[in-house]
């Protein structure tokens, strides 16, 4: 894809291009580095969002995410920041979904006009399995590939292995317990420590071990999980200036960051660390005090299930939930956690209140959006240290427990014998479950082995030879071969994500919007889909995937009609802009 774009740029005669390719984790470390934004490069990367439309615009465009995931080139537009926040936060968008959708339409149009980012295509999530794998179902986000497929009662989803009967028309009456599912991933997991890793492979494998307070189904609906029940207790019409009396003053760095070691929960909206020597900030201790005094936007109460065991035999309590939120402070995922969370407070041994800073239209999904970790393990490690490479065995409440990990080679997990859903039975565990009686009381596959195989062709070969049962991220040209072959099944779902290039807007000449517009018109989106991805994708004329369009636009067809001309391949328009710039910049530029 990148080579095709580079070729398109060079054909105008205005560009000399060079493509640099890195192993994934090295690339991620490179582009997240705060110094990256000043080098003038164009990073190409993929974003996997959530059912929340906010996740497809905020993380790559809000200045709060510079140097985190995934504002890679230092985009800092105060008006856009305010617009991004206004589409999610505030009593008006909480109470009026139509107004919220209208605000998102304004955001998509602003992004199309400014062209800080060029979105190339919406992908499809694909996996290929052999015919021994029965019941497999795809999750719209790659992170859920294994965890969702193996056991997800919210969608009546379960996988089993039967090597004596070919998959294709089997149902729950044919379910077979036991066996080992062998899969392959394309990259080595960066970490087994959930808040301190943001790469897809890490999250994919963590899904086998850890769980959250709630889960979503494939439509984005929310169901209680580790929480037996939850409820919104109250909403208060406050904005972030309400925390002023609880704030303290902090210095700023030369790079425009707040100079404190603790997590900044709220920064005073009138203060800018890029221009001021001091700013007012709300730190965790202050946030808990404010919540106790009744200063908060929303309060959700989560009543935990009693008797849920971690893999080490300890019981899940409110202490673990509160400690987990604190462990997320100053982590790789902190910007997406503390854009809404104010504080988590234990009410009693099995009850936790989680407070939002302001009214939040996505609070039901986003406030409980963390993995619950063991407070004992958290206390025993440095942040980021939950990883077998650090001599630490990850401990969760999930359906599988850690077995063995050899760095760069493989991971083995085994079904957790004391898994709480299995102990209770699925119907007793979940009041909301209305599936068939034959649906199992937990995952039925005994173990999962995941091999790290970076090369696409090698993974495909391992599947053909029977070394593995399942893989994903297969080259698009190979998918058709598997689709036509006997003994294999190709699983496809529209993805909740897109690929994109981000312009280094703070580096000349990329700070000139005409250059961004010109390059945007030189990205051959349809050719990328047809020739590079062999039709296994859809051109991205807008920045909002199908899965988030319900809350994210008033009328998607009208939005696409308005924005598509700004993103279509148009060499004449591009050359017109480049000629105009060349006349001003001079030949040396």
């Amino acid at each position: 894809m990148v080579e095709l774009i580079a070729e398109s740029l060079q054909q105008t005669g205005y560009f000399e291009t060079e493509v640099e390719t890195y192993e994934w984790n090295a690339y991620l470390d490179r582009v997240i580095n705060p110094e990256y934004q000043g080098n003038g490069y164009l990073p190409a990367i993929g974003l996997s969002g959530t059912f929340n439309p906010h996740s497809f615009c905020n993380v790559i465009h809000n200045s709060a995410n510079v140097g985190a995931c995934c504002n890679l080139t230092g985009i800092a537009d105060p008006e856009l920041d305010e617009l991004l926040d206004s589409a999610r936060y505030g009593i008006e968008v909480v109470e009026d979904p139509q107004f919220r959708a209208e605000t998102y339409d304004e955001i998509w149009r602003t992004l199309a006009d400014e062209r800080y980012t060029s979105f190339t295509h919406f992908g499809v999530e694909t996996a290929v399995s052999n015919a021994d794998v029965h019941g497999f179902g795809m999750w719209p986000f790659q992170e859920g590939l294994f965890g969702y497929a193996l056991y997800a009662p919210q969608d009546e989803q379960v996988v089993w292995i039967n090597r004596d009967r070919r998959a294709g028309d089997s149902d729950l009456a044919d379910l077979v317990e036991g066996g080992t599912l062998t899969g392959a991933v394309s990259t080595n997991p960066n970490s087994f420590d959930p808040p301190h890793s943001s790469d897809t492979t890490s999250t994919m494998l963590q899904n086998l071990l850890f769980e959250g307070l709630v889960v979503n189904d494939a439509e984005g609906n929310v169901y209680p999980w580790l929480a037996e029940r939850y409820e919104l207790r109250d909403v208060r019409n406050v904005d972030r200036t309400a925390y002023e009396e609880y704030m303290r003053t902090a210095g700023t760095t030369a790079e425009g960051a707040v100079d404190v070691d603790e997590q900044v929960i709220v920064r005073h909206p009138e203060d800018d660390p890029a221009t001021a020597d001091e700013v007012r900030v709300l730190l965790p201790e202050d946030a808990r005090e404010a919540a106790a005094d009744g200063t908060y936007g929303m309060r959700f109460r989560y009543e935990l299930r009693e008797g849920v065991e971690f893999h080490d035999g300890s019981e899940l309590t409110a202490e673990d939930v509160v400690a987990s939120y604190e462990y997320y402070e100053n982590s790789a995922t902190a910007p997406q956690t503390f854009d809404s969370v104010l504080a988590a407070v234990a009410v009693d041994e099995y009850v936790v209140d989680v407070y939002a800073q302001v009214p939040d239209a996505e609070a039901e999904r986003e406030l409980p959006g963390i993995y619950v970790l063991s407070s004992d393990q958290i206390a025993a490690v440095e942040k980021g240290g939950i990883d077998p490479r650090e001599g630490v065995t990850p401990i969760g409440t999930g359906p599988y427990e850690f077995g063995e990990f050899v760095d760069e080679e493989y991971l083995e997990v085994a079904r957790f014998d004391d898994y709480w859903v299995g102990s209770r039975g699925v119907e007793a565990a979940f009041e909301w479950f209305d599936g068939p009686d034959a649906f199992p009381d937990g995952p039925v596959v005994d173990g999962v082995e995941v091999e790290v195989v970076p090369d696409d062709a090698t993974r495909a070969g391992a599947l053909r030879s029977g070394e593995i049962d399942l893989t994903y991220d297969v080259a698009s040209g190979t998918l058709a071969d598997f689709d036509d072959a006997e003994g294999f099944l190709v699983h496809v779902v529209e993805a909740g994500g897109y690929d994109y290039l981000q312009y280094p807007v703070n580096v000349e000449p990329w700070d000139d919007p005409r250059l961004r517009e010109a390059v945007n018109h030189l990205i051959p989106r349809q050719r990328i889909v047809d020739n590079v991805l062999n039709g296994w994708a859809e051109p991205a004329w807008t920045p909002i995937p199908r899965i988030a369009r319900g809350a994210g636009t008033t009328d998607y067809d009208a939005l696409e009609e308005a924005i598509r001309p700004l993103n279509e391949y148009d060499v004449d328009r591009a050359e017109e802009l480049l000629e105009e710039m060349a006349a001003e910049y001079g030949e040396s530029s």
Side-chain angles (χ1 to χ4, degrees):
M1 180 192 81
V2 174
E3 289 171 352
L4 187 62
I5 295 170
E7 177 187 347
S8 177
L9 296 179
Q10 287 194 158
Q11 286 176 348
T12 67
Y14 285 95
F15 298 92
E16 292 180 4
T17 61
E18 180 179 340
V19 177
E20 296 185 5
T21 305
Y22 298 82
E23 187 274 331
W24 170 248
N25 286 332
Y27 183 63
L28 192 65
D29 290 342
R30 176 180 173 82
V31 298
I32 294 295
N33 188 316
E35 295 181 2
Y36 184 83
Q37 62 185 274
N39 62 23
Y41 295 164
L42 275 69
I45 200 165
L47 174 78
S48 180
T50 67
F51 296 98
N52 174 10
H54 198 69
S55 65
F56 296 105
C57 51
N58 188 71
V59 295
I60 61 176
H61 293 111
N62 197 311
S63 60
N65 294 306
V66 176
C69 185
C70 295
N71 187 336
L72 306 178
T73 56
I75 296 167
D77 182 336
E79 292 183 4
L80 180 58
D81 283 349
E82 185 175 347
L83 193 59
L84 290 167
D85 284 349
S86 67
R88 176 173 165 184
Y89 305 113
I91 198 74
E92 190 168 8
V93 291
V94 168
E95 295 179 345
D96 188 348
Q98 175 71 13
F99 177 72
R100 185 185 187 211
E102 291 170 358
T103 307
Y104 274 120
D105 281 336
E106 186 178 351
I107 289 172
W108 312 130
R109 287 179 167 83
T110 299
L111 294 177
D113 289 337
E114 296 293 345
R115 297 175 178 86
Y116 296 129
T117 303
S118 279
F119 310 94
T120 61
H121 63 275
F122 303 125
V124 291
E125 295 298 344
T126 61
V128 184
S129 66
N130 62 31
D132 299 338
V133 180
H134 296 249
F136 188 87
M138 287 291 292
W139 182 242
F141 307 102
Q142 201 172 83
E143 296 92 329
L145 178 73
F146 291 108
Y148 175 79
L150 284 160
Y151 192 68
Q154 67 271 28
D155 281 324
E156 299 173 24
Q157 168 59 44
V158 64
V159 155
W160 67 94
I161 304 295
N162 186 342
R163 304 199 185 277
D164 297 321
R165 174 178 176 173
R166 299 172 65 85
D169 60 354
S170 52
D171 58 30
L172 289 177
D174 306 310
L175 186 145
V176 174
E177 294 204 23
T180 297
L181 176 71
T182 304
V185 294
S186 58
T187 57
N188 198 48
N190 191 46
S191 173
F192 285 84
D193 196 318
H196 296 276
S197 56
S198 57
D199 64 295
T200 300
T201 304
S202 294
T203 308
M204 187 187 301
L205 301 182
Q206 291 161 10
N207 264 333
L208 297 167
L209 308 173
F210 302 103
E211 298 178 305
L213 295 171
V214 302
V215 294
N216 297 325
D217 65 15
E219 300 297 323
N221 300 305
V222 184
Y223 298 87
W225 195 256
L226 290 179
E228 187 168 17
R229 62 186 59 86
Y230 69 90
E231 65 174 337
L232 173 62
R233 299 299 289 261
D234 61 335
V235 181
R236 303 193 174 191
N237 190 13
V238 303
D239 61 26
R240 290 182 173 87
T241 61
Y243 300 100
E244 185 172 336
E245 66 178 285
Y246 301 96
M247 291 180 172
R248 62 189 74 188
T249 301
T252 60
T253 67
E255 292 76 26
V258 181
D259 191 13
V260 294
D261 293 330
E262 295 179 79
Q263 174 70 46
V264 174
I265 304 297
V266 179
R267 190 185 76 227
H268 198 289
E270 296 174 4
D271 296 354
D272 183 357
T275 58
D277 294 332
E278 292 184 336
V279 293
R280 291 163 290 180
V281 295
L282 186 76
L283 300 181
E285 182 181 347
D286 310 321
R288 288 188 288 272
E289 181 183 353
D293 288 348
T295 302
Y296 54 83
M298 305 173 86
R299 177 168 61 112
F300 277 81
R301 174 158 291 180
Y302 298 87
E303 298 180 24
L304 305 180
R305 302 178 189 276
E306 298 185 26
V308 173
E309 288 188 14
F310 284 98
H311 299 150
D312 64 354
S314 60
E315 186 187 9
L316 169 73
T317 67
E319 179 185 359
D320 299 295
V321 177
V322 172
S324 297
Y325 277 97
E326 294 173 355
Y327 191 65
Y328 271 70
E329 294 171 6
N330 286 332
S331 69
T333 55
Q336 287 80 60
T337 302
F338 296 101
D339 59 354
S340 184
V341 172
L342 176 68
V345 178
V347 177
D348 63 28
E349 189 174 10
Y350 299 105
V351 178
V352 177
D353 282 349
V354 182
Y355 296 86
Q357 299 163 19
V358 294
D360 180 355
E362 284 292 332
E364 186 179 10
R365 275 197 290 257
E366 297 296 320
L367 283 184
I370 68 166
Y371 285 123
V372 178
L373 311 176
S374 161
S375 58
D376 290 339
Q377 181 157 82
I378 289 171
V381 301
E382 295 289 331
K383 284 193 173 184
I386 301 177
D387 197 287
R389 286 163 289 207
E390 303 294 330
V392 178
T393 298
I395 296 171
T397 61
Y400 290 88
E401 59 182 326
F402 182 84
E404 183 179 11
F405 175 67
V406 177
D407 199 21
E408 305 282 355
E409 294 187 22
Y410 64 86
L411 167 71
E412 294 180 355
V413 299
R415 185 166 55 170
F416 182 38
D417 290 338
D418 294 321
Y419 184 47
W420 60 275
V421 180
S423 301
R424 289 164 169 75
V426 65
E427 291 190 5
F430 305 116
E431 294 178 359
W432 45 261
F433 182 75
D434 60 357
D437 293 340
F439 193 80
D441 297 325
V444 299
V445 173
D446 284 340
V448 182
E449 298 178 3
V450 183
E451 298 181 10
V452 180
V453 186
D455 182 68
D456 288 351
T458 304
R459 283 200 317 282
L463 184 59
R464 288 191 180 97
S465 67
E467 296 175 48
I468 60 174
D469 299 311
L470 170 74
T471 191
Y472 72 105
D473 213 14
V474 173
S476 57
T478 309
L479 283 172
D481 296 337
F482 278 114
D483 206 21
D484 294 336
E486 289 289 330
F488 298 97
L489 292 88
V490 176
H491 312 276
V492 183
V493 68
E494 291 183 353
Y498 49 65
D499 280 38
Y500 66 95
L501 285 85
Q502 200 164 62
Y503 300 120
V505 295
N506 297 315
V507 178
E508 289 187 333
W510 297 102
D511 58 343
D512 190 323
R514 292 174 298 178
L515 179 59
R516 304 196 297 269
E517 180 180 351
V519 173
N520 190 56
H521 282 305
L522 293 171
I523 294 176
R525 292 170 176 80
Q526 193 65 56
R527 284 177 60 200
I528 289 170
V529 169
D530 294 340
N531 300 341
V532 178
L533 301 169
N534 297 289
W536 297 87
E538 178 184 340
W541 309 117
T542 72
I544 177 171
R546 193 176 306 276
I547 202 163
R549 291 172 190 171
T553 176
T554 56
D555 184 335
Y556 182 77
D557 291 337
L559 177 69
E560 184 180 275
E561 183 178 356
I563 290 179
R564 178 168 176 159
L566 303 178
N567 291 325
E568 289 188 306
Y569 193 67
D570 189 341
V571 176
D572 291 340
R573 175 57 179 162
E575 291 185 341
E576 177 185 331
L577 291 162
L578 294 170
E579 288 171 7
E580 182 181 313
M581 290 184 65
E584 296 179 16
Y585 278 78
E587 186 176 348
S588 63
S589 298

